[in-house]
Amino acid sequence: MEYEEIIPKKELKKNGNTDICIRFASKAFNTNEKNQITDISEKGIQEIIKNVYNGDYKSLYLSLDPDGETDGGRYFIMESDSTWISLEIVDEINKVCYSSFNTDYMDSEEESPIKCSDGQSVILKKYTMHNRKLAAECVEWFIRTGRHYPGMEWLKSCW
């Protein structure tokens, strides 16, 4: 059984956490060596966040697994183009997914113009957003906590 619910954003205090939870990063939704981001030090993390904010990364895959595996773990996917952004955090253990969403398209099956890094996936407009600064904040929060950013509303889907 699948259901969806909107998780409201919460007021939050500045996250002082400087930990790095991710163990794998890639500029595409795959573990291909040519797309892998090998520097996940603090300096490398700042570079990832800057590239998301500036729109230099069209895709980003972050995993808590050191091999980038998706089976049974938690991972983050960003796909975007010049204006459309899709964020998704999948937690396979708890069978839950947190997605960005667009209230203007919630009842629509219209496809976004985003070309996904896997070459085949299609992202509906209802799972998109347009705020790069907020997307970068979500990326940093996941990097440091392995969780969805509470300062944004998310569409939670369970299966």
Side-chain angles (χ1 to χ4, degrees):
M1 176 196 299
E2 184 175 318
Y3 76 91
E4 292 182 332
E5 69 175 298
I6 294 174
I7 304 299
K9 73 179 187 175
K10 298 177 182 173
E11 284 291 320
L12 61 129
K13 297 178 180 162
K14 186 76 173 161
N15 181 17
N17 186 358
T18 58
D19 292 344
I20 297 172
C21 291
I22 63 163
R23 299 292 173 247
F24 183 90
S26 177
K27 293 182 274 186
F29 181 45
N30 63 45
T31 56
N32 184 320
E33 200 171 286
K34 78 174 184 134
N35 292 316
Q36 190 172 353
I37 300 168
T38 55
D39 184 2
I40 54 175
S41 67
E42 185 59 39
K43 181 180 176 188
I45 295 307
Q46 291 306 315
E47 190 69 19
I48 290 170
I49 295 163
K50 181 184 88 171
N51 284 322
V52 169
Y53 180 79
N54 291 336
D56 295 333
Y57 282 176
K58 299 301 179 200
S59 299
L60 182 64
Y61 172 63
L62 305 170
S63 177
L64 303 182
D65 183 275
D67 296 320
E69 296 296 320
T70 60
D71 293 339
R74 191 176 316 131
Y75 55 91
F76 179 102
I77 305 166
M78 180 194 78
E79 298 285 359
S80 67
D81 71 3
S82 59
T83 58
W84 298 85
I85 306 162
S86 173
L87 304 179
E88 183 176 72
I89 298 170
V90 178
D91 180 344
E92 292 195 354
I93 294 169
N94 297 304
K95 299 186 185 307
V96 65
C97 174
Y98 296 91
S99 302
S100 54
F101 69 98
N102 189 324
T103 56
D104 293 338
Y105 295 95
M106 288 305 287
D107 295 324
S108 171
E109 295 297 310
E110 189 176 347
E111 295 179 7
S112 75
I114 297 170
K115 303 291 183 221
C116 295
S117 60
D118 69 1
Q120 63 188 14
S121 295
V122 173
I123 297 172
L124 300 180
K125 286 184 176 180
K126 75 178 184 178
Y127 298 117
T128 63
M129 61 188 286
H130 299 284
N131 185 331
R132 286 222 173 263
K133 180 180 185 292
L134 185 55
E137 289 171 1
C138 292
V139 166
E140 181 171 17
W141 192 271
F142 185 82
I143 286 169
R144 301 202 185 281
T145 68
R147 306 250 177 243
H148 66 282
Y149 179 57
M152 179 176 107
E153 287 185 313
W154 293 86
L155 184 64
K156 178 182 176 182
S157 304
C158 298
W159 70 93

